[in-house]
Amino acid sequence: MAPSADVAAAGLTPAEEASPTAATTITQKSDDTPFQQQQQQQQQQVPVLDTASSSDLPCVTQLNGIGIKGLKAPTYFSVNKAIPFLSNTPSPIPAEALLAATSDETVGRVPDGTVFSVPETHDLIQTLFSPSETKTMPEWITLGIMGTTIALFFFTNTPREAFLAIFIFWRCMYNGGLGVLLNAQSKDRGLVRLAKKIGLGPTNPEKPRTKWAQFLVNQITKKMSKKGAPYDYDAMPLEFNTWILYRGLVDVILVNDFTSYIVFAVSYYQSPEGGYGGMDALRYAAGILMLLFNLWVKTDAHRVVKDFAWYWGDFFFLVDASLTFDGVFEMAPHPMYSVGYIGFYATALIAQSYWVLFVSLAAHAAQMIFLHVVENPHIDKTYNPPVQKKAGDSGSSLNKYFGRDLIVFQNLDWFRSTDLQTVAIVAYTCIAALAVGPVDCPWKFWFYVGQTLFWRFVHTYGLGAILYLQSNHRTWNRHFIKHGETPRDAFQHWKVIYNTTQMMSYVSFIICALRFFVIPESILSDMFLLRATLGALFVILHSWIAVSIYEVIGSSGWFYGDFFIDELRYRSGPVYSGLYRYLDNPLLYTFSCWGIAMTCGSPALYAITLFGQVSNWLFLRYVEQPHMRRMYGSQIRQEAGVERVLKSKVGDMGRGVEKLAKDLDLMDVLNRIKDVKKTGEKELRKVMGPEAWKEFVARARGRKAARGQALDMTPPESEDEVDSIASDSPSRLQDGMRLRNKASIDSQFSVSSQEDGQKKGIKNTRRDSSKNLPMAVERIIEELEDLVDQARPRMRAMVGETALKLVGDTRSAVVPVDLYSVRFPSCRADEPATFRLGQPIVIEFTAATDTVTARDWIGLYSATANPNTALTTTKSQGRWMFVTGGSKDEWDADSESAGVTLVKASAAGHSIGRVPVELSSTINEKSGMAHSVVRGQLTFSNDRLPWAVGVYEARYHYQGKHDVIAISRVFEIVADEYQWQESSAETAAAEEKAVTEALEKIVETCADIDVAGGEQELRASDNIMDRVKVDNCLDVSSYAKYKEVVARRIVYTIKQTFGVEFSWKVVGLDGTTGQLAKRVCSARHALQPCEYEK
């Protein structure tokens, strides 16, 4: 029994999930005013396209392939809301920049706001294998490597292991090589920056390209040029040209990956023992059908996403286009990576090789890792930015129902009685199984079977009856309210019972399977290896489905919250996102039980699994569906995505057959055959006479009866052949049936075992939901990155210290170190520098005008973190800024500017980047010469602050390195300590109010709520996590992590201020400062006797 699509109410359901066939646009458009008042006169002179028009394609010329350099995205296109990395798009554009555009053109947008008309591109088959198309160097390389691989197979005695190694190489190049490149491009536009660095940008007469760069430019131009229409390389953005160059690399890898796989599979092909037979015919037929299905998936997916998404174009630039995600995109999540790889298993089925099967599984797994590590994070960052809730919006009314609920063994707390109860039941069941021992007599057999059926019956029928009565009569809530408890208490008891019975139904089944399992004499006997492989895949599939649906419906849907919680009833419609886009009830089929039963091969396990399957269907039919119809009525859809696609395809086939029959006039032919048969019988009867005709009919009926056949079945010759095969080779027919069943299961698994659905616009081509690697893998990756980052400065320190010992410190000879300084203008020189926890820190720096660079930076460190005053050897943890006011994302901006060229003059004064500076002259104490210096101020706030009390220092580093030019005096970060008063009944309310006011200030500081800047003050009823800003978060995952960071700041400040320690999760559980203040006061009072005794 598992939650269906209709269990939970959707808070925010993507439009494309609720209506998969609806057209969606890649870039959102708003109805905001496009231009400011000073541009209204220009608008009256130049016609502008209506923003509400479906053909609104701004800033595009009629000339295909000519980009309009310098034109930026208009403000009425909400680019900064829909696409995070376009948040810095300048606005607005002049009215004359809006040129007429046709609907046939595709508009591209690069991160700096430039829009251009995307030239037409052609698919790989057309350009690579067409003799009339001009070939570029990557295409010749592709054809050469492919030809070499094929020649090795046909004309040499190369061992088949070599072809396996070749395929592994190209698969690693695909998932590893392309994955690294795309990841670098997604995170910091690494490929575009590299292209710019090697000289692939626009032509610069002052800095001509190298021969290698010019060669690459010529290849791009040759690739995109058409007959009579040369390609203007400099007119197109660097992002588009880089994408074209990247496509060439993709073609080389993808074509040879496919070629090497085919050669590998053919080399491992195994001929059937004893010659070909019916089983082999079935195997080949199933494999061919799967290959045809794979071909349809790929072609239909390309029909929808076109070349742009096929070659990961949105890693480089975005386009304004409308896409209808129908066909295969309604059938499975990520169809190009899920069901699009069914051809691998078809090839393994035809080759009849376990080597091909397991290598195909590994290759498919690598592709799914590529999807989760590379594509899904980019899709989330680009198309699914986190949403900032408005101040005052609060979902705290539901927080009281959900906390650290035990789901299987997740959130297990050994100090919680209900958790210990669940663990005790599981442990008792396992110990009882060990005491009973293996199945060696009938009563032990029925003990294990009865135990499994008992828990299945309780979980499905017992809990189903509770839900039925609760839905119709609120029986469960009435019972607890009658005895003085609340609906929240009733729901808490339900969650414990539901989780315990659900877990025990699977634990008892696994114990039963272990006792019924018989170790085979050989893993190859009775197809055990194949059954075990499919069984393991079914278990993995079931686990993935369970995790995926929990991500969609959450705890409220998992525990059937809308049966118990009034706030959830009738709040919104059913959920049709994630897996529910394709199936109404993904966990209706207990794949894990079928997989375990398949591995063990026990008839009893098959019977138990079938009983559970029927039980799930009855629960859905008589409990869930009536409840959902009563709640949502007409909002429930009539058919799921897979059902809709299948009906559509069957309908198309039926209409095609009818059209063919009509075109060929087959019905008329059949009618004429029937007329001829009737006429022939009449004429034959006349010729033979009545008696001879009766005798002829009797003999014919006798022959049919002897064979057990009906009178008008297959002709005798064909029947004799069937009888001969059935009598001579019954085992072959049975084997053929087993192989057919295997192929059917294989196909079903391949269709059902993959990822989440596609999201709105181009984001729908490869994402959704998912969102992310398991938490354990993410933490391992983060820890490895931390180790590498920690090792890098230490190695640099060792090299620097060695250099100092060998050649001495020559910094002063290059940079006038005496002219550099760092200080705190808000602190008096004769008093200690002190800042409150979370208070912005203003740092004033002084640098020599002739040697200051755009990559000079200042970082904040613990005073004891760096023993070497000349070199920084520890991480700054993000607490640093360039002297230009920029961050790491702006590393390229004016990176080569230094000295006086870096200082810009304007009417408002001088500046370095975004930092206003003052120019002055000073005397160098060592040389006695006058030097020009600049003074500026940097403000460290929010994430750039040290969020821990202690003693720190500021370090000025030179030219993007860790060489220290100047160090400030130490400063201390302190926390204000709250003065508790003696509590009593009269002062409790006043004390709680005072704590609430103090907490509001703490939360405003930790969450960076700028009340002085105009933001709304935090109220006691506001949800704290909803006020956390979403500005610097690229996707939902990073926003969730940032919320955790803010919560940790809050509980740390509470500990320093009030002397009470909490887990960071308490902030989300309480939700508001009012509830958090009550918790602080009650915790303080509860701990006060202990502190007094101490």
Side-chain angles (χ1 to χ4, degrees), residues 304-306 309-310 314 323 325 329 334-336 375 379 383 758-767:
V304 174
V305 303
K306 307 298 188 301
W310 192 271
D314 57 357
L323 297 178
F325 285 88
F329 284 94
H334 300 288
M336 291 186 292
E375 292 204 28
I379 290 171
Y383 301 109
Q758 308 302 321
K759 300 299 178 183
K760 183 184 291 184
I762 286 298
K763 66 186 176 186
N764 294 356
T765 59
R766 293 190 305 274
R767 180 174 71 152

Side-chain angles (χ1 to χ4, degrees), residues 547-823:
V547 173
S548 298
I549 68 172
Y550 181 79
E551 291 176 352
V552 175
I553 63 179
S555 296
S556 60
W558 187 265
F559 290 110
Y560 299 91
D562 52 3
F563 281 76
F564 301 89
I565 303 174
D566 292 334
E567 289 86 341
L568 284 176
R569 298 169 67 92
Y570 312 104
R571 188 180 69 173
S572 59
V575 172
Y576 291 130
S577 60
L579 284 181
Y580 292 109
R581 176 180 176 180
Y582 314 100
L583 299 170
D584 283 332
N585 304 282
L587 277 181
L588 172 63
Y589 306 100
T590 52
F591 289 106
S592 59
C593 295
W594 286 111
I596 294 173
M598 187 185 307
T599 303
C600 296
S602 171
L605 288 179
Y606 280 115
I608 294 173
T609 303
L610 181 61
F611 172 76
Q613 194 70 74
V614 174
S615 300
N616 282 354
W617 182 84
L618 292 174
F619 174 84
L620 175 69
R621 176 69 176 81
Y622 294 103
V623 179
E624 278 197 31
Q625 289 182 351
H627 177 76
M628 293 306 114
R629 285 195 296 268
R630 189 162 47 250
M631 287 189 62
Y632 302 120
S634 59
Q635 292 181 307
I636 299 177
R637 65 185 178 187
Q638 299 301 317
E639 55 190 16
V642 173
E643 184 181 0
R644 181 166 51 249
V645 173
L646 293 178
K647 287 184 177 180
S648 174
K649 295 305 176 184
V650 171
D652 292 343
M653 292 176 61
R655 287 187 292 271
V657 171
E658 292 178 1
K659 183 177 183 302
L660 179 63
K662 184 178 180 180
D663 293 341
L664 299 178
D665 203 8
L666 294 180
M667 298 305 297
D668 183 62
V669 173
L670 292 175
N671 292 332
R672 291 188 179 186
I673 292 174
K674 292 179 180 179
D675 293 341
V676 170
K677 179 181 179 182
K678 292 179 180 179
T679 304
E681 288 181 356
K682 291 180 181 179
E683 296 297 330
L684 183 61
R685 186 181 303 173
K686 290 179 181 180
V687 173
M688 297 181 63
E691 297 297 330
W693 173 255
K694 291 181 180 180
E695 184 180 354
F696 170 77
V697 172
R699 287 198 305 268
R701 288 177 176 175
R703 289 194 302 267
K704 296 292 184 180
R707 298 186 181 96
Q709 303 291 335
L711 182 61
D712 52 353
M713 288 290 287
T714 312
E717 294 80 7
S718 183
E719 292 175 353
D720 292 338
E721 290 175 3
V722 173
D723 292 342
S724 175
I725 293 175
S727 60
D728 295 340
S729 307
S731 61
R732 291 169 59 186
L733 285 177
Q734 293 174 1
D735 291 343
M737 292 300 294
R738 283 200 298 268
L739 180 61
R740 182 176 62 185
N741 293 337
K742 162 190 167 296
S744 175
I745 293 172
D746 221 345
S747 176
Q748 178 185 358
F749 169 73
S750 298
V751 172
S752 306
S753 65
Q754 310 298 331
E755 276 286 321
D756 257 336
Q758 308 302 321
K759 300 299 178 183
K760 183 184 291 184
I762 286 298
K763 66 186 176 186
N764 294 356
T765 59
R766 293 190 305 274
R767 180 174 71 152
D768 181 339
S769 69
S770 191
K771 278 229 188 308
N772 307 325
L773 286 170
M775 186 62 67
V777 177
E778 290 184 0
R779 294 195 179 278
I780 291 173
I781 293 175
E782 292 174 357
E783 290 175 2
L784 290 175
E785 291 176 347
D786 290 342
L787 290 175
V788 173
D789 292 338
Q790 291 174 7
R792 185 181 296 111
R794 295 184 185 278
M795 293 298 296
R796 188 181 291 112
M798 294 173 60
V799 175
E801 291 173 357
T802 303
L804 289 175
K805 293 179 180 179
L806 294 176
V807 300
D809 189 0
T810 59
R811 289 179 302 152
S812 59
V814 179
V815 179
V817 178
D818 295 340
L819 301 181
Y820 287 76
S821 65
V822 179
R823 68 184 192 91

Side-chain angles (χ1 to χ4, degrees), residues 180-217:
V180 170
L181 295 178
L182 288 176
N183 195 45
Q185 173 65 19
S186 175
K187 288 185 175 180
D188 56 3
R189 302 174 64 240
L191 295 182
V192 175
R193 293 170 58 189
L194 178 62
K196 179 180 179 181
K197 183 177 180 180
I198 66 177
L200 298 184
T203 303
N204 185 359
E206 298 179 358
K207 190 176 181 181
R209 299 188 181 100
T210 62
K211 293 182 179 180
W212 169 245
Q214 188 60 47
F215 171 77
L216 295 179
V217 171

Side-chain angles (χ1 to χ4, degrees), residues 968-1001:
S968 72
R969 62 169 173 152
V970 296
F971 64 93
E972 186 178 7
I973 293 180
V974 298
D976 296 333
E977 185 176 355
Y978 183 83
Q979 299 299 324
W980 292 94
Q981 305 296 328
E982 293 184 5
S983 60
S984 62
E986 294 77 16
T987 61
E991 183 182 67
E992 182 176 326
K993 181 179 179 181
V995 172
T996 302
E997 293 175 352
L999 276 177
E1000 289 175 356
K1001 299 301 181 183

